[in-house]
Amino acid sequence: MTIDTSVLNALRPDMTRFAYLLLRDQHAVEDVIQETMLTAIEKQDGFKNKSSLKTWLFSILRNKTIDALRRGKREVNISTLSNDEDDGLEEVLFNHHGAWNMETKPNTWSNPDASFEQKQFWAVFDACLNHLPSQTSRIFMMREFLEFEVDDICKELNLSTSNCWVILHRARTKLRLCLDTKWFSGQGFQASRS
Amino acid sequence: MMNCKEANQLMSQELDRKLTWRELAALKFHVTLCDGCANARKQVSFIHHACKHAFGLEDEKK
């Protein structure tokens, strides 16, 4: 079947967002989108409508993004990770017994799934992801967006498994705190005032 | 009993690997007694789901 290029173009914003979150470099993103579009047009006979066009296109994009990551810096600099990215987060969150400090104990997020429908939520979500330190972000994205197994991430980046777990844990904690401040507690504040 | 700091490490790892029976039991026991950790676990799992929803691909994966 023939794919209408205007349909491909309509999917461009989502594809750009995806690639940018992973690559964080406008030029690299443009290259990846370009390659994805070309591959899609070349291989359109392979698209059998079994999956939706978006799913099919994203599977190409995913592979192109992985290639781009591999072409870029292959190894994560461990000293950068431990020095720059370990900012004593756990010392802020927990006391010396390992229990929550009063002011950092997590509250309930009310009806969080409803946020999925809100465009503003995704802007905040992207901002929080982009706010992660770059190495941490890359590992988190490889896990959650490219759906790598942890062992494969470790191999790819020459990290130990426990190192990977620590980094993923740190990423999730930072995202949790960011969403809490920028979205959920703000929402609660507005709700309590109205 | 496991402390909150350890419970938080496990609630992240449960998204990346299968916890041992013992770890899972300890984590579950901790969150029934600690609402801060129960909330943290829900939030971390919400973020995991949000990543799957972020590009509107989730509904199409059947």
Side-chain angles (χ1 to χ4, degrees):
Chain A
M1 66 178 283
T2 316
I3 298 167
D4 189 347
T5 44
S6 68
V7 179
L8 290 185
N9 280 327
L11 292 169
R12 200 184 259 270
D14 265 353
M15 293 169 65
T16 306
R17 235 184 93 213
F18 179 90
Y20 188 79
L21 284 170
L22 279 140
L23 301 169
R24 289 192 180 187
D25 176 277
Q26 211 53 55
H27 291 291
V29 170
E30 279 161 27
D31 288 349
V32 158
I33 302 291
Q34 199 66 29
E35 286 172 31
T36 303
M37 294 298 197
L38 285 172
T39 306
I41 292 162
E42 263 169 38
K43 296 197 172 162
Q44 51 186 306
D45 293 339
F47 173 62
K48 297 271 195 310
N49 230 354
K50 256 189 236 159
S51 54
S52 85
L53 179 65
K54 188 173 183 181
T55 307
W56 181 72
L57 204 57
F58 263 74
S59 70
I60 300 173
L61 175 64
R62 186 178 172 277
N63 289 328
K64 299 288 179 199
T65 309
I66 293 171
D67 291 346
L69 280 173
R70 286 186 177 145
R71 278 199 301 269
K73 214 167 103 212
R74 181 178 279 271
E75 283 176 19
V76 166
N77 185 334
I78 298 185
S79 64
T80 320
L81 272 175
S82 44
N83 296 335
D84 294 354
E85 305 194 6
D86 182 14
D87 39 18
L89 192 58
E90 292 203 317
E91 284 70 24
V92 177
L93 293 175
F94 305 106
N95 64 24
H96 62 280
H97 298 298
W100 292 107
N101 282 321
M102 277 301 260
E103 61 279 10
T104 57
K105 194 171 146 190
N107 288 313
T108 313
W109 287 353
S110 64
N111 197 12
D113 288 359
S115 310
F116 291 161
E117 309 305 322
Q118 289 173 264
K119 220 177 166 181
Q120 266 177 308
F121 170 75
W122 293 112
V124 171
F125 189 73
D126 281 18
C128 286
L129 285 171
N130 281 320
H131 196 65
L132 289 175
S134 63
Q135 313 265 43
T136 306
S137 160
R138 173 134 72 108
I139 292 164
F140 179 77
M141 302 289 183
M142 285 174 80
R143 175 75 192 118
E144 298 287 15
F145 289 95
L146 298 177
E147 297 177 355
F148 272 78
E149 291 298 328
V150 172
D151 285 344
D152 296 332
I153 300 175
C154 303
K155 254 186 247 158
E156 185 100 5
L157 301 173
N158 256 341
L159 292 168
S160 72
T161 309
S162 62
N163 227 322
C164 270
W165 284 334
V166 170
I167 296 159
L168 286 166
H169 172 46
R170 211 180 280 159
R172 293 185 178 114
T173 303
K174 286 188 172 166
L175 286 173
R176 200 173 65 65
L177 295 172
C178 182
L179 288 175
D180 190 66
T181 316
K182 300 231 155 61
W183 183 257
F184 289 103
S185 58
Q187 233 187 7
F189 179 62
Q190 276 165 8
S192 68
R193 288 204 317 177
S194 57
Chain B
M1 190 175 127
M2 145 190 307
N3 67 33
C4 300
K5 189 170 153 180
E6 291 157 349
N8 270 260
Q9 288 160 359
L10 279 188
M11 64 182 76
S12 172
Q13 286 180 30
E14 78 176 324
L15 301 170
D16 300 320
R17 67 175 172 100
K18 199 169 161 37
L19 298 185
T20 65
W21 178 85
R22 219 172 261 276
E23 286 170 331
L24 191 61
L27 176 62
K28 283 188 173 170
F29 182 65
H30 182 98
V31 296
T32 53
L33 299 174
C34 172
D35 55 342
C37 285
N39 286 332
R41 193 181 185 208
K42 281 184 208 150
Q43 293 176 6
V44 160
S45 138
F46 167 77
I47 289 167
H48 179 70
H49 290 297
C51 291
K52 309 291 161 216
H53 276 84
F55 298 94
L57 296 165
E58 174 69 3
D59 305 336
E60 293 158 6
K61 273 188 200 164
K62 289 276 153 63

